Amino acid sequence: IDQLPHSEALILAQALAGPSSSGEHRRLQRLVEEARGHPLFIQELVRHTLSHGTEEPPRLDDTIWARIGELAEPAQRLLRLCAVMGSPLPVDVATQASSLLPEEVERALIQLRAANLLRASLSGHEPDSGARDIRAVEPYHDRIRELVSERLPPEGRQECHQRLAQALEKTKSTDPEALTYHFSSAGETDKAGPYALQAGDKAATTLAFERAARFYGQALEWLRLEDAQRRDLLIKRANALANAGHEYQASKWLIQAAETAEPEVASDLRRRASDQLLRSGHHREGVRLLREAFQNLGLRLFSSAWGAIFSMIGYR
């Protein structure tokens, strides 16, 4: 359910709280404002207020965090992994990453879903339809994901990324983007490099050229490559940038690729770089680079049309 209008959210809060005085009414108004009209958060704040008897409505983040603290340790561990994952977490990956037994994961999922902290994606069914074939889980709301991630200490967050990366690798994940993200966030860039290259190729085939360029840039930073391999990757990044409409940036990577290439290949790369410069409006720089490329091939680029005409007549 989406955010409710203020009047309807107040009616829900009054129904959950029971009969109230005018003073209670004002407190419920502040509670609705803290929950921003979301029914789940209104329910959580009302429950916390009734159980603790507080005069002022508590902060929503503190209320949710207190509820999480009441969970058993396996459920908390699973919730942390789901929050750090950033996308639906497959149950087999969750089992591997949490180092829990399948029956422990099942009990933790029941507890987390009952507390409205996680929701499940089910095979062949609508989400949360009650079927048993749970395929993946994720935090019930983005605010829960953000809260858990923010309150994790840096070393705890890094450990979650490492566990998720290793679990994805062991379960033969076909998502190189996720592997790149989690290995790099765990500080293992040497393992993230090959997956960044795979993610770049995958993004390029789906015409997501800006993402492809970003992944190729990460691969260039993290991989140890021979000159020829590095040159090929530089050209891939340049092509992705050009296809994304960033011609000027593409020219710089082509120029860098030409530095270690054979003379004829280098001239062709500089010619392509000059083309990208001209397309991006950098005419003077583009012409200068084109003249260099021609000179390397023993050709001359004339500065005027008349010069080209007289040269052609002379050759004839």
Side-chain angles (χ1 to χ4, degrees):
I1 302 175
D2 293 329
Q3 179 179 341
L4 296 174
H6 182 78
S7 58
E8 295 181 13
L10 188 58
I11 292 172
L12 174 61
Q14 289 171 339
L16 292 170
S20 59
S21 63
S22 58
E24 290 288 330
H25 180 77
R26 286 193 295 272
R27 183 170 67 173
L28 289 176
Q29 283 185 321
R30 293 195 297 272
L31 183 147
V32 166
E33 291 172 0
E34 175 66 19
R36 300 180 184 176
H38 195 285
L40 170 64
F41 299 147
I42 293 171
Q43 179 184 5
E44 190 63 30
L45 287 171
V46 169
R47 185 195 69 84
H48 185 89
T49 302
L50 292 177
S51 61
H52 292 77
T54 55
E55 290 296 326
E56 292 294 325
R59 292 182 66 250
L60 178 59
D61 287 353
D62 294 336
T63 302
I64 297 173
W65 192 250
R67 167 66 77 92
I68 293 170
E70 298 170 359
L71 298 172
E73 198 281 329
Q76 291 190 36
R77 190 188 309 177
L78 195 60
L79 181 60
R80 289 195 295 269
L81 291 169
C82 288
V84 172
M85 182 68 182
S87 60
L89 176 61
V91 173
D92 58 339
V93 177
T95 304
Q96 186 74 239
S98 63
S99 301
L100 297 172
L101 297 173
E103 53 269 24
E104 290 180 304
V105 171
E106 186 175 353
R107 285 196 297 269
L109 288 177
I110 292 172
Q111 188 178 6
L112 289 164
R113 294 181 71 198
N116 288 326
L117 293 169
L118 284 188
R119 59 180 176 180
S121 302
L122 308 162
S123 176
H125 301 275
E126 294 296 322
D128 295 330
S129 65
R132 297 187 61 185
D133 51 338
I134 298 176
R135 299 294 301 276
V137 288
E138 60 183 324
Y140 192 89
H141 193 275
D142 283 341
R143 191 159 180 178
I144 297 172
R145 186 198 311 277
E146 293 165 3
L147 172 64
V148 175
S149 297
E150 288 172 0
R151 298 206 178 187
L152 267 177
E155 59 273 13
R157 194 180 304 113
Q158 187 172 1
E159 181 188 359
C160 286
H161 281 298
Q162 187 176 47
R163 284 177 170 271
L164 288 167
Q166 292 173 348
L168 286 166
E169 200 170 42
K170 287 179 181 177
T171 54
K172 308 297 183 183
S173 171
T174 57
D175 187 357
E177 293 185 22
L179 285 158
T180 301
Y181 170 63
H182 292 297
F183 269 126
S184 61
S185 298
E188 299 185 39
T189 54
D190 55 331
K191 291 185 178 180
Y195 291 115
L197 179 55
Q198 293 179 27
D201 290 340
K202 183 178 178 180
T205 58
T206 59
L207 308 184
F209 296 117
E210 290 199 6
R211 282 168 51 205
R214 186 179 77 250
F215 285 121
Y216 287 144
Q218 291 173 336
L220 283 165
E221 181 181 353
W222 297 333
L223 289 174
R224 296 179 181 178
L225 302 169
E226 301 291 337
D227 285 346
Q229 294 173 322
R230 183 174 179 80
R231 183 169 59 251
D232 290 342
L233 191 48
L234 288 167
I235 295 170
K236 280 187 175 184
R237 186 159 201 246
N239 290 338
L241 287 167
N243 288 327
H246 303 296
E247 292 90 353
Y248 184 74
Q249 295 179 34
S251 69
K252 299 304 179 184
W253 293 100
L254 287 169
I255 293 170
Q256 190 173 341
E259 293 175 357
T260 59
E262 298 295 326
E264 290 187 5
V265 176
S267 294
D268 184 62
L269 289 171
R270 290 191 181 95
R271 179 194 59 77
R272 290 174 56 188
S274 70
D275 179 57
Q276 297 301 323
L277 287 167
L278 294 170
R279 289 174 184 270
S280 62
H282 295 77
H283 299 101
R284 183 174 298 178
E285 192 175 353
V287 170
R288 178 186 60 77
L289 191 63
L290 187 59
R291 184 173 287 111
E292 290 179 7
F294 274 39
Q295 286 174 351
N296 292 337
L297 295 174
L299 301 174
R300 180 182 175 189
L301 180 64
F302 292 93
S303 57
S304 67
W306 284 109
I309 291 172
F310 286 133
S311 175
M312 181 179 66
I313 293 173
Y315 275 117
R316 286 177 64 86

